């Protein structure tokens, strides 16, 4: 159950990264982009995993545990940076907003691509050890968050 809970949370983070990607790319390409990438309360987007209990999942290799910890840490840090930027968009110049949006896109590429790999690695570990069990799987292609189009600077 803890393994599935971890895989479910990783899948939830991937789903949220997909939402961010769609929200960025559905926003009109203009010279002063100030999109609302995420709405609502930040706490609704953050993921909380009790890694002290996850460390006892004997099925996970230590590398997978460490990678899932860092993927979750980076995800939450990324979500916090998006909300912070959204709150402060009006105080930035147009060029600063374009630069910050492009930074969001670069971080999305980096963090989401690594998370796809972590999700796949943990799912594969679990399926190989417990062939008769069913595990949550978020089947996302490795290149889903690669080479994302940046906004043109002013």
């Amino acid at each position: 159950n803890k393994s599935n809970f971890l895989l479910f949370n990783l899948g939830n983070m991937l789903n949220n990264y997909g939402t961010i990607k769609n929200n960025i790319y559905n926003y009109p390409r203009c010279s002063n982009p100030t999109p609302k990438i995420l709405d609502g309360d930040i706490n609704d987007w953050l993921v909380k995993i009790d890694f002290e209990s996850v460390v006892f999942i004997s099925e996970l290799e230590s590398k997978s545990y460490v990678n899932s910890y860092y993927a979750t840490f980076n995800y939450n840090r990324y979500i916090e940076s998006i909300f912070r930027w959204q709150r402060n968009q009006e105080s930035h110049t147009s060029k600063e907003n374009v630069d910050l949006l492009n930074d969001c896109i670069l971080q999305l590429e980096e963090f989401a691509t690594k998370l796809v790999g972590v999700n796949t690695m943990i799912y594969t570990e679990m399926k190989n050890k417990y062939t008769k069990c069913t595990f949550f799987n978020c089947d996302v292609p490795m290149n889903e968050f690669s080479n994302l189009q940046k906004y043109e600077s002013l």
Side-chain angles (χ1 to χ4, degrees):
N1 285 338
K2 291 226 182 257
S3 302
N4 261 331
F5 178 74
L6 177 62
L7 285 166
F8 175 79
N9 277 291
L10 297 178
N12 186 35
M13 289 187 288
L14 282 170
N15 183 54
N16 291 343
Y17 278 140
T19 298
I20 292 166
K21 177 184 169 185
N22 288 338
N23 289 347
I24 288 172
Y25 287 103
N26 287 332
Y27 191 81
R29 300 263 163 188
C30 61
S31 61
N32 185 20
T34 55
K36 184 88 168 174
I37 298 172
L38 295 174
D39 59 7
D41 187 283
I42 187 173
N43 293 313
D44 295 337
W45 293 95
L46 297 176
V47 171
K48 295 165 188 73
I49 298 174
D50 179 9
F51 278 97
E52 288 181 17
S53 67
V54 172
V55 75
F56 296 110
I57 300 175
S58 61
E59 297 86 8
L60 284 184
E61 295 185 21
S62 59
K63 180 180 178 183
S64 299
Y65 172 80
V66 169
N67 288 340
S68 63
Y69 176 83
Y70 282 119
T72 304
F73 174 81
N74 286 332
Y75 168 84
N76 285 330
R77 187 176 63 135
Y78 181 67
I79 296 297
E80 289 167 350
S81 72
I82 287 175
F83 273 91
R84 186 173 40 257
W85 172 58
Q86 287 181 163
R87 279 192 309 271
N88 297 315
Q89 284 181 20
E90 292 179 8
S91 65
H92 298 129
T93 65
S94 295
K95 182 180 181 336
E96 287 172 331
N97 272 328
V98 170
D99 291 344
L100 290 167
L101 180 57
N102 283 331
D103 285 345
C104 273
I105 294 169
L106 288 173
Q107 290 174 347
L108 177 61
E109 286 180 356
E110 177 184 353
F111 297 149
T113 299
K114 286 181 182 175
L115 181 58
V116 171
V118 169
N119 180 68
T120 302
M121 180 174 42
I122 292 174
Y123 176 77
T124 302
E125 282 179 32
M126 301 309 295
K127 285 304 289 179
N128 288 339
K129 289 186 181 201
Y130 301 98
T131 56
K132 295 182 180 179
C133 293
T134 303
F135 296 96
F136 183 84
N137 184 28
C138 193
D139 192 21
V140 177
M142 278 302 292
N143 65 350
E144 177 69 24
F145 299 98
S146 300
N147 303 314
L148 299 178
Q149 181 184 0
K150 312 301 181 287
Y151 278 76
E152 295 294 320
S153 293
L154 299 174

